[in-house]
Amino acid sequence: MLLEVEDLSITFDTAKGALQATRQVSFKLAQGETLGIVGESGCGKSITNLAIMGLLPDTATVHAKKLHFDGADLQSLSESEFRKIRGDKIGMIFQDPMSALNPSFTVGFQIDETLKEHCPEMDKSARAARALELMNQVGIPAPAERLKNYAHELSGGMSQRVMIAMAIACKPKLLIADEPTTALDVTIQAQIMKLLKDLQKEYQMAMILVTHDLGVVAQNADRIQVMYAGEVVESAKSKELLAAPAHPYTDGLLSSLPGKKATAFRQPLPSIAGMVPDLRARPKGCQFNPRCLKAEDKCKTELPALTHEQDRQLRCFYPVEGTV
Amino acid sequence: MNVIEVQNLKKHYPVRKPFKALKHVKALDGVSFSVPTKKTLGIVGESGCGKSTLAKTLMRLEVPTDGSVSLSGTDFTNMTGKDFHSAIQMIFQDPYNSINPRKKAWQLIAEPLLINTDLSKDECFKIACETMKKVGLRPELAHRYPHMFSGGQRQRIGIARALVMQPKVMILDEPVSALDVSIQAQVLNLLMKLQDDMDLTYLFISHDLHVVKHISDEILVMYLGKVVEYGARDKVFDDPKHPYTKALVASSPSILKEASDEPAIQGELPSPLNPPSGCAFHKRCPMATERCSKETPELTEKFGRKVACFEV
């Protein structure tokens, strides 16, 4: 296994009390595999990735039984050791390409920076050649001229391609894509997702794809992990999860999507009532119970454990019938 | 009867650069449509296609370069502020930035009344509370400030604020795209219910084709300031004819279909400052011929909808 996360809990110290951003998050990722993490804002999907990247602020405390990447225990790494992994073995793409690039330096300089840090054996001309090769690889027309451009001279799709070029510069083993296409138009989104897939095949990268768009994960991930209020509520192979969601939350999310044959024109969409709980004042028992139609007394007092059954993880006492 | 009728609407922005000839960005270039009462027109297209300029121009926030807009038969330039604002209202995309953080919920909702009517503050407060009930907010929350509400609740405040003038037409500019998936369905349901209850006509702008398809009777597809396809929802989305509409439909991610191996179209939206000659889409179009780079296709009636393409 390339990445093993077991019982990851992240707590923030805030002025208003402790906030548990994730609780007992566990997952594994093999080489070449794509894990899609879906959930609403505040469900802990980005925080989990920041923990893997070692980019959490000082106010966060991380507890995990296991946080292993490629044989190394990420929890025991010092900051300087982490710097060697970040950008080298793990690449990351952020949501908003326009603000993730530094506006004061050229695109070429920023790609060069990554190579300088992680590939000391390359000299200046080798790095320049590699930068050009990367720009070509991510499908940027006229790459030599583009290297001299600043971020404001590029469109959103182009900036995201540059971000991808930077993330894959050192051929990482794991690529974390945090909402890589949310800021982009649909036709560009399709192009970028295709590019990521091709690169993944070429470099045999594992990928964590974080998004709130169920359509995007459905089309691109091997496994889907659904998170709610900082917990994994369900995780399974994409097709199985979409065909037969077992957790009432997953089921509710999927049926609330417009554009399915089952929901006819202008019919009210089945929606999940209420909203995500405040993580400082979590409900007792199952985190989803205040919004769940199937909740019983047991759900209100006891937190269901994450069960593993035939490749499916589930945190629910009363799963949707006929699924498990 | 058509509550809103737009004829050949144009909005050109002059771009002045030193030592260079004056250029124009044609943000809207001859857009025409009409929407009957209680119906919804969905407007789709990528960023930069003129959707938001259209919304702004219809709201009189921009002065059109050419063309006319009539609301229930009256030209909108001849309407007084009060008449205009009770005819058309708008809901914005981002519920975090579109409402004043220093005002209480009821003040935000009642503000159009305080400006446009002679009602007293107490009466306005009462109407605001009633409107809050309509949009699914408890009136007890009237004295809260925006930061005490969630994103979905804030969007409800935005909806209430638009409803309070009892408009006939509502422009919804990406009303759910800033919201979480489970909240999107709630807000969409609310919008559909309000439309039935209050006989509203919607102009629904969105980039999410599934959402647009669910709510709209007719669809207008825009590309670089022009209408490329316009017709009934089942015609335009289930059987798109214009290559751009086809690409949009094919690129739209769905849980029901597998991703295609090849992206539907290559390239990006051209710069509106230097649009390609002829058909603006021809450089990205798989069907383009020589004629497309020379002549601009007109919107013509074909296959039961209007489409601007030589090759269909």
Side-chain angles (χ1 to χ4, degrees), chain A residues 90-108:
Chain A
I90 309 180
M92 185 152 182
I93 304 166
F94 297 90
Q95 170 169 5
D96 185 356
M98 307 298 222
S99 52
L101 285 171
N102 190 330
S104 336
F105 295 99
T106 62
V107 162

Side-chain angles (χ1 to χ4, degrees), chain A residues 107 111 131-140 143 146-147 162 165:
Chain A
V107 162
I111 298 180
L132 197 63
E133 185 193 334
L134 283 165
M135 293 287 274
N136 247 325
Q137 208 170 10
V138 295
I140 293 180
R146 287 295 182 194
L147 280 171
V162 171

Side-chain angles (χ1 to χ4, degrees), chain A residues 40 155 187 194 266 272, chain B residues 46-47 182 186 195 261 268:
Chain A
E40 298 176 84
S155 67
T187 58
K194 169 80 168 71
R266 278 190 62 87
I272 307 174
Chain B
E46 292 177 284
S47 40
S182 76
Q186 292 176 8
Q195 181 168 31
D261 280 344
E268 301 183 6

Side-chain angles (χ1 to χ4, degrees), chain B residues 221-258:
Chain B
V221 185
M222 289 180 68
Y223 190 78
L224 223 63
K226 283 196 163 73
V227 179
V228 295
E229 194 161 353
Y230 174 34
R233 63 187 280 278
D234 44 346
K235 292 246 161 64
V236 175
F237 277 165
D238 295 340
D239 179 28
K241 289 292 179 208
H242 195 282
Y244 179 62
T245 319
K246 280 184 189 168
L248 269 188
V249 172
S251 310
S252 168
S254 157
I255 56 167
L256 294 174
K257 62 175 191 224
E258 301 261 320

